[in-house]
Amino acid sequence: MEGKGQIALVTGASSGIGRETATRLAENGFEVIAAARRMDRLEELSDQVQGINPRQVDLSQPEDVEAFCKYLSGLDEPVTALINNAGYSLRGALEDVSLEALRRMFEVNFFSLIRVTQACLPGMRRLRKGTIVNLSSIVGKFTFPMSGPYASTKYAVEAITDALRMELRPFGIRVIGIRPGPIVTEFNDVANELTGDLMARTDPDYKPIYQASGAGVGKLFAGLTVPGPELISDLILEAVMSDAPKAVYAAGPFTEEILGERTRLDDDAFDRFLTEKTGLAGLTV
Ligand SMILES: NC(=O)c1ccc[n+]([C@@H]2O[C@H](COP(=O)([O-])OP(=O)(O)OC[C@H]3O[C@@H](n4cnc5c(N)ncnc54)[C@H](OP(=O)(O)O)[C@@H]3O)[C@@H](O)[C@H]2O)c1
């Protein structure tokens, strides 16, 4: 896909993968609508990079999403590259995550993605072209223990991405899933802040489970070099610019050693493998 004269939309462009992706797309000739809540960050980016157009939206607020979609529907030139990137994580065992917090995470990670995509599709269909890139995760295909709520948002993104790819191919619209492993961005700090002190508030029953899985996952990360967001923004750019993009791109730690096993092993064998890896094998409380 040629960038010049095309409009791209990147959600979550104020930091991390979204910021790098917006930059890469603008450098390749796209006019980029850069959306997020932190307008100061977006304005700073637009001062640094030509072709970045900041737009404030809180994707956890359905009315705000509607107003944003109205703006998208009214654009003279439709969005032809849509990067659904905004997202965040909350950690915790199911009993430690409120339904309200889970609903809010689904609003940002899933429902806003659906609504923004719906708003962009009429323009893409009219032109019979477009590229939609959805940020999933390696945890779109398996979940670590104490991470089910976040992973469930990404499993949902995977399903809609797979269905859309087939539905939209007849219109010449390409749909691509991205599955990053851990990447150094603000993601972890945001997750820590939103999750709070799980050990302080959980039922004592769960403490040994948190401790064992914390140690197990800690071991997985020991000595690991975690890459920066450029690894993923380069992949997204490659997917958008390619004449024949892949259905899914995965990159970063654990893509081979855990995500790979997910495809190689059957459900029972994978359950045993990951229970072992995350320190929970044989644990009884
Ligand atoms: N980093 C990782 O290890 C990793 C791994 C796999 C997948 N991912 C996925 O990659 C995507 C990007 O994450 P990242 O690592 O770049 O994290 P990040 O640095 O924390 O960036 C997240 C972006 O999402 C935006 N966002 C969050 N809540 C929002 C809301 N309510 N309304 C509008 N925008 C909102 C943030 O902007 P504001 O705060 O300014 O609103 C920010 O620009 C996410 O979908 C994440 O799930 C990340």
Side-chain angles (χ1 to χ4, degrees), residues 113-157:
L113 175 153
I114 300 281
R115 187 63 196 97
V116 167
T117 303
Q118 286 174 334
C120 292
L121 278 176
M124 290 188 187
R125 272 193 293 107
R126 187 154 36 81
L127 297 178
R128 292 292 193 261
K129 77 169 179 193
T131 304
I132 299 170
V133 178
N134 289 340
L135 266 289
S136 175
S137 165
I138 52 169
V139 305
K141 284 290 173 186
F142 68 86
T143 178
F144 290 107
M146 330 317 258
S147 208
Y150 170 63
S152 65
T153 69
K154 294 301 188 183
Y155 275 45
V157 168

Side-chain angles (χ1 to χ4, degrees), residues 19 41-54:
R19 188 182 196 281
R41 294 282 199 95
L42 297 175
E43 275 163 0
E44 188 187 297
L45 183 62
S46 97
D47 289 343
Q48 288 165 7
V49 183
Q50 213 186 347
I52 300 274
N53 305 276

